């Protein structure tokens, strides 16, 4: 009887028995490399990048913007275990790099970076930053980087060699670093983009940021930066957001179609604050 009452209460709270709350995504792709190996390699890559930025006096220069990013991250991160339990033990970091590059990323294990170019050129609101950060965190939670790194390692040494080296713990750090780098500098697949969008709008909504801002972000991306072709991102120059996150015609439509699933979460979060 009690369970029945709870069910009714839940159905009412979520707007009727037929309404589905939250988005529908699944992790997919090859995961040859253990998460711990991937996270260690990514953490190393990330700290190298941050050290290089610091040497150029380009790390966290604008304290106000750094705090802004970290506040948004603090709201989004507690929502992330819903999509990946491991996120609970991740050592999250959020840093801002001074660079005209229009880019942002979240490496495996929760290592987030924004470039000042994306904040300035797109004149992002907090809701829009939450949309981009949520999208990036989505890639990390769904382990798109881990799948990508696994592919890279296999391409380099072959699956049988990779598996045996993994058993012996002998994959070279150089090879892993290279794979970690490629994991954030190659374009994602269309299905991965859609899934990251959906995770992003749910994280944002639960954290009290307007998930509708995601639509605006992609409109701004389309107009704001010309971006570079995927192939151009290879050497020296950091990739632009549009080259690592190729847009597609139905992206905005897919986001809009999923907004009804997350708007109640946003409304609930807004009522709480
Ligand atoms: Zn993406």
């Amino acid at each position: 009887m009690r369970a029945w009452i709870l069910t009714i209460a839940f159905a009412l709270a979520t707007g009727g028995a037929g309404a589905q709350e939250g988005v529908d995504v699944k992790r997919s792709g090859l995961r040859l490399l253990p998460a711990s190996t991937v996270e260690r390699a990514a953490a190393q890559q990330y700290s190298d990048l941050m050290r290089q930025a610091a040497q150029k006096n380009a790390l966290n220069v604008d304290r106000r913007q750094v705090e802004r990013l970290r506040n948004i991250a603090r709201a989004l991160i507690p929502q992330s275990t819903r999509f990946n339990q491991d996120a609970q033990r991740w050592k999250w970091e959020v840093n801002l790099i001074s660079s005209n590059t229009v880019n942002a990323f979240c490496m495996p294990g929760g290592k987030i970076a924004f470039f000042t170019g994306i904040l300035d050129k797109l004149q992002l609101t907090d809701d829009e930053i939450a949309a981009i950060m949520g999208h990036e965190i989505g890639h990390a939670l769904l382990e798109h980087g881990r799948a990508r790194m696994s592919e890279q390692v296999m391409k380099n040494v072959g699956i049988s060699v990779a598996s045996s080296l993994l058993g012996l713990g002998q994959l070279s750090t150089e090879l892993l670093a290279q794979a970690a780098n490629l994991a954030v500098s190659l374009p994602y697949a269309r299905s991965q983009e859609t899934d990251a969008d959906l995770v992003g709008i749910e994280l944002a909504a639960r954290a009290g940021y307007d998930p509708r801002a995601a639509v605006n972000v992609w409109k701004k991306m389309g107009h704001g930066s010309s971006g570079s072709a995927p192939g151009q991102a290879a050497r020296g120059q950091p990739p632009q957001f549009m080259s690592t996150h190729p847009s597609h015609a139905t992206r905005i439509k897919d986001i809009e179609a999923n907004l009804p699933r997350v708007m109640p979460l946003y409304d609930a979060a807004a009522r709480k604050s």
Side-chain angles (χ1 to χ4, degrees):
M1 189 60 179
R2 197 179 183 137
W4 179 79
I5 292 169
L6 281 174
T7 309
I8 296 291
F10 182 73
L12 288 173
T14 55
Q20 185 183 348
E21 193 174 71
V23 299
D24 205 4
V25 292
K26 56 183 181 314
R27 278 188 273 173
S28 60
L30 172 86
R31 286 192 184 75
L32 173 77
L33 296 174
S36 57
T37 304
V38 168
E39 286 162 23
R40 213 178 319 122
Q44 183 61 51
Q45 256 333 82
Y46 185 82
S47 73
D48 286 353
L49 273 172
M50 295 312 129
R51 203 186 48 242
Q52 286 163 20
Q55 281 165 356
K56 289 189 255 174
N57 288 323
L59 184 65
N60 298 330
V61 176
D62 186 339
R63 295 309 303 184
R64 194 186 60 86
Q65 292 283 44
V66 173
E67 275 321 298
R68 190 174 172 219
L69 291 173
R70 289 181 177 167
N71 280 333
I72 294 168
R74 267 191 283 272
L76 294 175
I77 288 167
Q79 315 302 331
S80 61
T81 48
R82 175 171 301 276
F83 296 100
N84 185 339
Q85 279 296 326
D86 288 354
Q88 215 160 8
R89 54 160 187 78
W90 286 359
K91 295 185 179 68
W92 295 84
E93 278 190 65
V94 185
N95 289 297
L96 175 64
I97 297 171
S98 305
S99 159
N100 288 331
T101 306
V102 175
N103 205 6
F105 60 77
C106 177
M107 283 181 156
K111 306 296 189 189
I112 299 170
F114 269 67
F115 293 75
T116 49
I118 200 168
L119 299 178
D120 299 341
K121 289 187 191 162
L122 301 185
Q123 289 291 306
L124 298 174
T125 66
D126 284 5
D127 290 324
E128 289 166 355
I129 290 174
I132 293 172
M133 199 182 283
H135 174 99
E136 290 307 308
I137 291 174
H139 280 305
L141 295 175
L142 299 175
E143 302 196 288
H144 294 157
R146 181 178 171 195
R148 170 66 48 75
M149 275 181 71
S150 299
E151 281 163 29
Q152 288 303 322
V153 166
M154 279 213 316
K155 235 184 244 169
N156 278 298
V157 298
I159 187 160
S160 60
V161 179
S163 332
S164 63
L165 289 180
L166 273 173
L168 301 168
Q170 278 181 347
L171 275 177
S172 79
T173 46
E174 201 185 330
L175 177 66
L176 286 172
Q178 209 180 27
N181 206 16
L182 282 172
V184 291
S185 58
L186 291 173
Y188 288 106
R190 175 182 171 145
S191 62
Q192 292 175 324
E193 282 305 301
T194 301
D195 285 348
D197 279 339
L198 301 191
V199 171
I201 58 172
E202 180 164 334
L203 293 178
R206 288 184 185 277
Y209 293 99
D210 190 340
R212 290 168 293 194
V215 172
N216 233 17
V217 163
W218 292 106
K219 283 184 181 158
K220 280 186 177 181
M221 293 273 181
H223 301 156
S225 71
S226 55
S228 51
Q232 276 174 269
R235 298 208 187 291
Q237 232 184 346
Q240 301 274 330
F241 196 84
M242 289 301 284
S243 69
T244 50
H245 304 265
S247 199
H248 51 78
T250 62
R251 168 168 239 146
I252 287 175
K253 248 190 264 168
D254 289 340
I255 294 173
E256 282 172 341
N258 278 275
L259 283 175
R261 292 188 177 191
V262 298
M263 284 307 287
L265 300 172
Y266 172 55
D267 292 337
R271 270 198 302 275
K272 255 186 268 170
S273 62

